Amino acid sequence: DAGVIQSPRHEVTEMGQEVTLRCKPISGHNSLFWYRQTMMRGLELLIYFNNNVPIDDSGMPEDRFSAKMPNASFSTLKIQPSEPRDSAVYFCASSHSGELFFGEGSRLTVL
Amino acid sequence: ILNVEQSPQSLHVQEGDSTNFTCSFPSSNFYALHWYRWETAKSPEALFVMTLNGDEKKKGRISATLNTKEGYSYLYIKGSQPEDSATYLCAFMKGFKTIFGAGTRLFVKA
């Protein structure tokens, strides 16, 4: 298995633009997590899904953030409109028995 | 609010030193406690998944203990090597939700 696949690896965009981050979990994993890594807060849980259903989105910072999981093999995290303070590394992780397997992250820079 | 605290924030040791870090977590409604190793420019990788009070797990020179009643876990590294330099994260699992501590950044000098 290729592991958790995230794209893009790097994105540089201007304030106000829409950003879409993508994640393909490991096949057979039924839980998917989106985390944001910042210097101030470390790994911050944004949202997680179980069997494609969002279970807890209380970590999503604002209405500008949204996440979807239309099927078991794909999830998106969207920021619209983006702001400079959204600059961070966004990690996707999947799990089937508790242990999380992380993607390599998407580094977002909003100018 | 689920609070996972790790200490120290960072640690500098010499090659060959043994060291340990602490993770404290809510003791009520415990489900599982994970330790992850996170090297710079890589993704976190799981070291241990611990579920039972009194659990002790070992992988090579690294071991961990768990006390769910008082809400803490220790990670030990025996005879630190430069390649052990990384951030060590603990994560508290409640149901599906996995909350990470801020990590302990370990620097091992040759």
Side-chain angles (χ1 to χ4, degrees):
Chain A
D1 198 315
V4 176
I5 299 172
Q6 289 188 245
S7 65
R9 292 291 309 279
H10 303 273
E11 172 127 0
V12 180
T13 190
E14 290 189 344
M15 183 173 68
Q17 296 298 306
E18 177 179 295
V19 173
T20 300
L21 307 178
R22 298 172 178 79
C23 176
K24 182 180 188 307
I26 292 173
S27 176
H29 283 192
N30 58 355
S31 296
L32 183 140
F33 303 77
W34 282 102
Y35 288 90
R36 176 170 68 175
Q37 181 204 1
T38 62
M39 289 293 291
M40 294 296 294
R41 299 187 182 187
L43 270 179
E44 184 184 11
L45 178 62
L46 300 176
I47 185 171
Y48 66 98
F49 297 82
N50 187 252
N51 293 324
N52 313 338
V53 175
I55 302 299
D56 187 337
D57 65 354
S58 59
M60 297 284 260
E62 299 169 36
D63 291 345
R64 298 184 296 107
F65 285 68
S66 62
K68 292 182 180 179
M69 192 164 184
N71 57 61
S73 58
F74 184 64
S75 176
T76 59
L77 178 68
K78 188 177 288 188
I79 308 172
Q80 164 67 14
S82 57
E83 296 183 4
R85 61 193 166 122
D86 301 330
S87 298
V89 181
Y90 291 81
F91 283 97
C92 174
S94 70
S95 170
H96 72 95
S97 60
E99 177 184 339
L100 267 58
F101 292 81
F102 284 82
E104 294 184 309
S106 293
R107 180 176 292 277
L108 172 65
T109 303
V110 183
L111 302 173
Chain B
I1 296 175
L2 295 178
N3 235 10
V4 181
E5 305 283 346
Q6 289 190 247
S7 64
Q9 197 171 33
S10 66
L11 195 55
H12 293 252
V13 301
Q14 289 290 130
E15 182 177 358
D17 287 351
S18 293
T19 186
N20 64 84
F21 330 128
T22 305
C23 172
S24 61
F25 51 86
S27 55
S28 60
N29 299 317
F30 178 83
Y31 185 78
L33 191 284
H34 301 179
W35 281 99
Y36 288 81
R37 183 168 180 273
W38 194 1
E39 290 182 71
T40 304
K42 294 188 178 180
S43 310
E45 291 186 346
L47 284 171
F48 304 114
V49 176
M50 309 181 80
T51 55
L52 298 175
N53 185 43
D55 247 357
E56 287 191 35
K57 300 242 172 159
K58 189 174 180 181
K59 188 183 284 189
R61 294 179 291 99
I62 304 177
S63 60
T65 61
L66 179 67
N67 182 324
T68 61
K69 294 186 177 178
E70 295 182 40
Y72 65 83
S73 175
Y74 293 134
L75 187 81
Y76 301 91
I77 302 179
K78 186 177 177 182
S80 304
Q81 299 296 308
E83 57 265 30
D84 295 329
S85 298
T87 297
Y88 291 84
L89 298 168
C90 75
F92 176 77
M93 204 176 163
K94 184 176 179 180
F96 297 117
K97 195 165 187 170
T98 303
I99 303 295
F100 283 84
T104 292
R105 187 107 190 257
L106 175 67
F107 301 88
V108 182
K109 189 175 178 183

